Amino acid sequence: MISVSEAFLIVQENLPTPMKEIVDLNNAYSRYLAEDILAPEPSPRYTNSAMDGYAVRWEDVKSTSSEKPITLSIAGESQAGIPFSKSVNRGEAARISTGAALPDGVDTVIRVEDTQELDNSVQILSVREQGQDVRYQGEEFQTGELLLSKGIQLSTRQLAMLGAVGIQNFNVFSTPKVSIIVTGTELVTSDDKDIKPFQIRDSNKVMLTSATREAGGKVISCEHIGDSLENTREMLEIVTDKEPDFILCSGGVSVGRHDHVKKAAEKAGFTELFWRIRQKPGKPLFAARRENILLFGLPGNPVSAFMCFTHYVRPIIAHMHGQSMAHKSVTAKTSSGITNHGKRTNFIRVKVEFAHGEVPRITEVGKQGSHMLSSIANADGYIILEPGEILTPDSLKEVFLF
Ligand code: AMP
Ligand code: MG
């Protein structure tokens, strides 16, 4: 049996190479950029008005005061989308709307509220400074400046910016493909109406499918098989042909007479990376590789399967998106004492309470059995406690967040 850190190291030595693909802006939500994006044009694209009002020459209006308003004749209009085609001369103003191009000859905008329009002329009632309410070409960024860095996850805000500068196609990291094989003769589908007293509803299927999506992977197949060596080998060969990046098996990986995943994987051409980790839950975890395909034989106990996915598989998916493999964590204070009396590293599920301006507090979830899904459903993360480690109340401890 190996330690948690040894297992993680073996994972790190067997990382798949992140792949890229070109995606269209409209299909890029939640993907991870695989290239730096440089501005193909400046922003704003052209010098324009920040307000509805009048575009004027500062020279003409600078002496304005409430006692002495200045009157300018209206030369025309610059509308958003329809620029003023001529130049504004001395003693003139052009009506202008927000976002409309600043006409030649002017350098300042007077907002409507500071004016009084008369017949074909406008009275300027107050001014602040030269260039007021003008948005200059390139004041946000110039052509060639870095807009978004490689590795960033594209959400609403980044997509809007790409749309604003007309970038339609770009490189993102390819979504890792995951095949799931759920083993167990005792399993029926979760909605089975005729479930027998000795049968179990399959919860790992929905859990692993959802965990894969949450991590940024795509489930390309999901099958259930009974506990048979031959069926398991055959199914492994079928899904291997689909060229997934990962095969996640659930169950059948311990030392029972009907646990066939390990042997079947070897028969299907996979080479073992490790089997069994000194940890609780999740001891039977099996990892193997065939060329570029990583296989994880997750324990059948739902909590064990989830913890193994979270601690070992999710970071690999993050790596394939150009992300760090580090588990997201916060430092928190224990509410009560927690001790590991056992011989294995414990992944203890905890609830985390965040209070404004305070160190977050953690409370151990009461029932920690590896078959007790309430221990993850009602938790926010886990702490890792080594054998013999004792946490007194108010100890600071790193919590890995789900
Ligand atoms: P195994 O690792 O196959 O020995 O299974 C360990 C325990 O997890 C057994 O109690 C199984 O019934 C249970 N189990 C296995 N697979 C699933 C599953 N897909 N959903 C829920 N429980 C499961
Ligand atoms: Mg089983």
Side-chain angles (χ1 to χ4, degrees):
M1 246 193 296
I2 57 172
S3 70
V4 169
S5 47
E6 281 165 338
F8 201 76
L9 214 65
I10 295 173
V11 163
Q12 283 173 309
E13 283 161 0
N14 286 280
L15 291 176
T17 310
M19 305 299 276
K20 303 175 191 183
E21 64 193 39
I22 300 224
V23 76
D24 176 89
L25 177 67
N26 295 305
N27 296 316
Y29 181 79
S30 86
R31 304 296 297 272
Y32 295 81
L33 268 182
E35 61 175 325
D36 284 342
I37 300 284
L38 306 183
E41 56 187 44
S43 171
R45 295 186 56 244
Y46 54 90
T47 299
N48 64 84
S49 175
M51 288 287 164
D52 292 322
Y54 296 86
V56 301
R57 303 161 75 97
W58 178 248
E59 277 305 307
D60 287 344
V61 301
K62 64 182 180 189
S63 62
T64 302
S65 67
S66 47
E67 302 82 54
K68 214 171 120 244
I70 302 277
T71 303
L72 302 170
S73 62
I74 294 174
E77 179 174 11
S78 179
Q79 208 182 317
I82 312 175
F84 183 53
S85 53
K86 290 179 278 175
S87 193
V88 175
N89 300 312
R90 285 179 69 177
E92 291 180 346
R95 287 192 191 95
I96 195 159
S97 14
T98 306
L102 206 70
D104 287 343
V106 298
D107 56 4
T108 299
V109 169
I110 314 294
R111 47 184 84 180
V112 172
E113 296 88 323
D114 294 336
T115 64
Q116 175 70 53
E117 192 166 328
L118 311 167
D119 268 354
N120 265 336
S121 65
V122 60
Q123 246 185 1
I124 309 298
L125 306 176
S126 97
V127 296
R128 298 191 316 278
E129 59 186 0
Q130 185 173 22
Q132 66 183 51
D133 292 326
V134 174
R135 309 196 285 209
Y136 293 99
Q137 181 187 63
E139 72 177 8
E140 184 186 4
F141 51 79
Q142 299 284 358
T143 303
E145 271 186 53
L146 178 66
L147 288 191
L148 297 172
S149 300
K150 181 177 171 176
I152 200 166
Q153 188 177 20
L154 298 170
S155 70
T156 311
R157 292 163 287 131
Q158 293 79 25
L159 294 179
M161 192 154 93
L162 292 170
V165 295
I167 293 182
Q168 204 58 35
N169 296 291
F170 41 86
N171 277 294
V172 293
F173 288 105
S174 299
T175 303
K177 295 185 291 233
V178 178
S179 288
I180 296 172
I181 302 173
V182 175
T183 74
T185 302
E186 77 280 32
L187 301 175
V188 296
T189 57
S190 151
D191 61 351
D192 195 319
K193 301 275 187 295
D194 302 318
I195 185 166
K196 310 268 181 342
F198 46 84
Q199 291 179 319
I200 299 276
R201 295 187 206 279
D202 173 10
S203 58
N204 286 352
K205 177 184 173 188
V206 65
M207 180 177 76
L208 293 174
T209 303
S210 164
T212 297
R213 289 195 189 124
E214 221 168 56
K218 181 179 179 189
V219 176
I220 59 166
S221 69
C222 185
E223 309 288 345
H224 168 233
I225 48 169
D227 295 310
S228 133
L229 175 60
E230 214 23 51
N231 288 355
T232 311
R233 184 197 57 77
E234 203 183 338
M235 187 52 80
L236 280 172
E237 274 165 9
I238 292 170
V239 303
T240 298
D241 285 346
K242 299 184 205 273
E243 298 184 350
D245 297 294
F246 296 90
I247 299 174
L248 301 181
C249 295
S250 146
V253 79
S254 198
V255 291
R257 290 185 59 219
H258 305 285
D259 291 337
H260 302 298
V261 166
K262 191 170 169 293
K263 186 118 185 245
E266 279 152 16
K267 278 179 178 274
F270 285 83
T271 309
E272 177 180 325
L273 298 176
F274 61 77
W275 179 46
R276 312 220 294 163
I277 308 174
R278 265 192 313 279
Q279 68 174 52
K280 189 181 172 187
K283 179 169 95 176
L285 181 64
F286 170 67
R289 179 176 175 169
R290 178 176 146 173
E291 288 160 28
N292 292 327
I293 305 176
L294 282 176
L295 180 152
F296 285 91
L298 304 166
N301 270 312
V303 177
S304 311
F306 179 76
M307 294 308 296
C308 288
F309 180 93
T310 303
H311 201 75
Y312 301 101
V313 182
R314 192 168 72 179
I316 312 177
I317 297 182
H319 164 79
M320 293 173 82
H321 286 308
Q323 307 299 296
S324 145
M325 289 181 75
H327 301 94
K328 275 206 186 88
S329 68
V330 291
T331 301
K333 242 182 206 178
T334 51
S335 301
S336 54
I338 311 174
T339 306
N340 178 359
H341 295 294
K343 288 199 170 71
R344 287 182 271 155
T345 303
N346 273 0
F347 289 171
I348 296 172
R349 278 80 70 211
V350 294
K351 242 195 129 33
V352 187
E353 271 171 88
F354 292 91
H356 193 69
E358 281 173 36
V359 178
R361 281 212 161 265
I362 50 173
T363 318
E364 187 179 357
V365 172
K367 295 184 175 169
Q368 294 270 333
S370 60
H371 56 302
M372 298 176 173
L373 276 168
S374 55
S375 76
I376 52 173
N378 296 319
D380 304 299
Y382 58 105
I383 56 172
I384 299 183
L385 225 59
E386 296 303 337
E389 193 175 340
I390 299 168
L391 298 179
T392 51
D394 290 332
S395 301
L396 288 174
K397 185 71 182 165
E398 187 175 20
V399 186
F400 300 100
L401 298 171
F402 286 150

